[in-house]
Amino acid sequence: MGENIGAAARAMWNFGLDRMRLVSPRDGWPNPKAVAMASGAGRLLDEAQLVEDVDAAVADTSFVFATTARSREMTKPVYTPEAAMKLAAEKIAGGERVAVLFGPERAGLENDDVARANAIINVPVNPQFASLNLAQCVLLVGYEWMRQQSDVAPVQEGLGDTQWASRDEIAKLAEHYEERMEEAGFFFPEHKAANMRRNLRNFWSRMPLTQADIRMMHGVMRQMVRWKDRG
């Protein structure tokens, strides 16, 4: 379907892949429905190579992955998308040309197509519903390819327009609260005061505070003191 080809192109371009080869598209080529689904990835479709068969599509490559969810009676290594793209990155770095073969959504790749591949990519999915949309499969492989190309931290803190508070800023906040709480008679009885102060310092130091948090907490205490004085 033209829509699937367009969505696959969009998924490829999301992750920096722009060399598409089409094997006998069902609805002919070019296809306006593919262009509509590709959104901003139209250039990729303009440059896509149209070939008659799988042999022509992979003729100039040295290693081919075939994507399939079904078990085949073939002796081939089976990779997850992550492991496959790690191997692809290694081979490409060594000067090889690597291709990933996707089949039509209705029935997937034929056995003869898989026979032309060096290895299989199998996505771990629900065994009761293993059928993936073509573009979804392209997206998964593209995502794993991008992970091999960039060092992205698994967790990033979104700080907005602030920064993490320094130890000195946290210490000054702790002093501010201790002073006001001392005036309020919080540290009582006397023989427990030292331990209470230590616990309060530990409370502030173990929290991941930003500079905006520090300013807000200073403001909270100042406003509470003003409110008390008005009474």
Side-chain angles (χ1 to χ4, degrees):
M1 293 173 57
E3 293 90 339
N4 275 338
I5 295 173
R10 182 172 182 174
M12 288 174 62
W13 192 228
N14 280 148
F15 299 107
L17 298 167
D18 61 359
R19 307 182 77 173
M20 173 183 277
R21 293 176 181 178
L22 302 172
V23 180
S24 301
R26 187 194 74 178
D27 301 329
W29 196 257
N31 189 309
K33 292 182 179 179
V35 176
M37 283 297 293
S39 188
R43 180 186 66 79
L44 194 152
L45 293 179
D46 292 339
E47 298 175 359
Q49 296 181 32
L50 182 63
V51 296
E52 292 185 1
D53 53 37
V54 172
D55 284 333
V58 300
D60 61 348
T61 64
S62 57
F63 197 93
V64 178
F65 289 102
T67 58
T68 178
R70 296 198 299 270
S71 175
R72 307 281 178 169
E73 295 179 359
M74 299 182 194
T75 304
K76 291 183 187 293
V78 179
Y79 291 81
T80 64
E82 179 182 12
M85 291 303 97
K86 183 177 185 297
L87 178 60
E90 294 170 357
K91 288 184 172 295
I92 290 171
E96 295 190 52
R97 294 169 66 87
V98 178
V100 181
L101 188 62
F102 299 89
E105 184 173 330
R106 183 183 62 81
L109 292 171
E110 300 292 339
N111 283 345
D112 287 346
D113 300 325
V114 178
R116 290 167 170 78
N118 302 92
I120 289 172
I121 295 176
N122 187 271
V123 179
V125 294
N126 176 6
Q128 302 303 315
F129 189 61
S131 177
L132 279 175
N133 170 266
L134 170 61
Q136 289 176 331
C137 192
V138 173
L139 186 77
L140 283 169
V141 174
Y143 167 72
E144 294 297 348
W145 168 255
M146 179 62 80
R147 288 183 62 203
Q148 300 301 322
Q149 306 309 303
S150 56
D151 185 16
V152 180
V155 179
Q156 300 182 52
E157 299 289 350
L159 290 175
D161 59 355
T162 188
Q163 298 294 325
W164 291 116
S166 67
R167 304 314 303 171
D168 183 59
E169 289 169 326
I170 295 173
K172 284 183 169 56
L173 177 66
E175 290 172 6
H176 184 189
Y177 270 71
E178 282 186 36
E179 290 170 1
R180 301 288 82 82
M181 292 168 78
E182 176 72 38
E183 294 173 2
F186 177 80
F187 300 108
F188 179 85
E190 182 62 31
H191 69 278
K192 293 185 178 180
N195 191 50
M196 294 170 72
R197 292 177 190 276
R198 187 181 307 113
N199 288 342
L200 186 61
R201 289 274 177 161
N202 183 52
F203 168 76
W204 292 118
S205 65
R206 73 171 182 262
M207 282 199 298
L209 295 168
T210 66
Q211 292 174 343
D213 295 331
I214 294 289
R215 291 192 295 271
M216 180 185 69
M217 295 307 296
H218 277 301
V220 167
M221 181 55 77
R222 284 193 294 267
Q223 189 61 30
M224 291 177 67
V225 171
R226 293 192 189 103
W227 174 78
K228 176 185 70 68
D229 292 342
R230 284 201 301 269

